Amino acid sequence: MLSVKRYEMILALLEQNQVVKVSELSKELGVTEKTIRIDLEALEKNGLLKRIHGGAVLADKGTRIVPIEERQSGKAIIKEAIAQKAKAKIQPYQTVLLDGGSTTEALAHLMGDIPLTVITNDIKIAYTLLEKEKIQLMVLGGTRIGKSPSLIGAEATAMLQKIRVNHVFFGTTGISMEHGLTVLNHLHADWKKQIIQIADEVTLLTDATKFEKVGLIQFASLAEIDEIITDHLIEEKMVQLLKQQEIALTIVSV
């Protein structure tokens, strides 16, 4: 089993059980305990967990990358402000792709006053847009992972081959100058790679907590982004680094 696949399974078990043991992971994944310890060490370096004697627990919320269910319960005002700024970029009769995520869902709630074609792979976003008469809605098929409302997989990516959009608005698990944009699952990475390729304009919607966080798999470099919209809590050091790379950055004040 590839190390990335083990990482995904370890993190999934950790989110489910709050704690994992080396001995149990060794049996579950069919590798030696030494291999599991090496895996846990690698995940700890990325701030994804905290090692304890004989296993690991979730990292402190201040440092770990939290799942979408927790993200949606907080930062609502910040996400709405980011979504408002993103909406201003959209013109009537354009085609927009909304990636799954809490901030893109906030953007979906603001839509409906102008005619648009909106494509999404997110069940919650689709439900939000369902009754908006001016929205021509297209939902891409696929399979969801765990509790995520996003549908991904071969079905979804196959449909992307025939699509071209004016804008794609998407999120990320982590963003850093060294590692670019990263997520925790290879299927999510494959999906995001493809949606970036089919858009005339690519906009990342992210709150400031995602900066200097690193997931398991890189899906894009910073150079592939046309604009980043984030909030005023972004550190000045990061602002200057992005300017040096000539990456368009819009900061909303809350």
Side-chain angles (χ1 to χ4, degrees), residues 4-201:
V4 170
K5 185 63 176 178
R6 291 199 307 273
Y7 294 164
E8 293 175 5
M9 295 179 69
I10 290 170
L11 291 173
L13 289 169
L14 193 53
E15 288 289 349
Q16 179 180 343
N17 302 318
Q18 312 302 307
V19 61
V20 291
K21 296 181 178 180
V22 171
S23 58
E24 293 176 354
L25 289 174
S26 175
K27 295 178 182 178
E28 179 77 19
L29 303 182
V31 295
T32 65
E33 293 189 6
K34 180 180 179 181
T35 297
I36 294 297
R37 292 190 183 94
I38 293 173
D39 289 346
L40 296 181
E41 182 178 0
L43 292 169
E44 185 179 48
K45 286 181 179 178
N46 280 344
L48 300 172
L49 54 76
K50 180 180 179 181
R51 285 184 297 163
I52 59 173
H53 180 69
V57 296
L58 289 171
D60 295 334
K61 286 188 177 181
T63 59
R64 75 181 175 96
I65 300 171
V66 296
I68 187 171
E69 291 83 1
E70 292 186 41
R71 298 201 302 270
Q72 288 174 325
S73 65
K75 309 188 190 76
I77 296 175
I78 288 175
K79 294 177 187 298
E80 183 173 353
I82 293 172
Q84 287 279 6
K85 185 64 68 173
K87 182 190 174 188
K89 296 170 63 67
I90 304 172
Q91 300 299 318
Y93 300 105
Q94 288 187 325
T95 299
V96 176
L97 191 150
L98 296 184
D99 182 27
S102 53
T103 308
T104 47
E105 185 182 347
L107 176 56
H109 280 284
L110 300 176
M111 291 179 165
D113 56 341
I114 60 174
L116 294 170
T117 297
V118 180
I119 302 168
T120 188
N121 68 321
D122 187 283
I123 299 171
K124 285 187 176 181
I125 290 175
Y127 184 78
T128 297
L129 297 172
L130 187 61
E131 300 300 328
K132 297 181 183 290
E133 295 183 357
K134 294 184 178 181
I135 300 295
Q136 180 68 37
L137 177 62
M138 178 178 178
V139 183
L140 301 181
T143 304
R144 72 173 187 167
I145 298 176
K147 297 180 181 179
S148 171
S150 296
L151 304 177
I152 56 177
E155 298 89 346
T157 53
M159 294 179 73
L160 290 177
Q161 305 299 321
K162 304 175 182 179
I163 296 172
R164 188 75 195 173
V165 302
N166 299 111
H167 291 276
V168 61
F169 296 95
F170 72 105
T172 186
T173 300
I175 175 172
S176 74
M177 300 304 297
E178 180 181 0
H179 300 285
L181 281 69
T182 53
V183 288
L184 297 176
N185 185 282
H186 71 282
L187 292 176
H188 285 140
D190 291 343
W191 160 262
K192 290 177 186 288
K193 284 179 184 178
Q194 293 212 36
I195 63 174
I196 288 174
Q197 297 300 318
I198 67 168
D200 297 330
E201 187 169 357

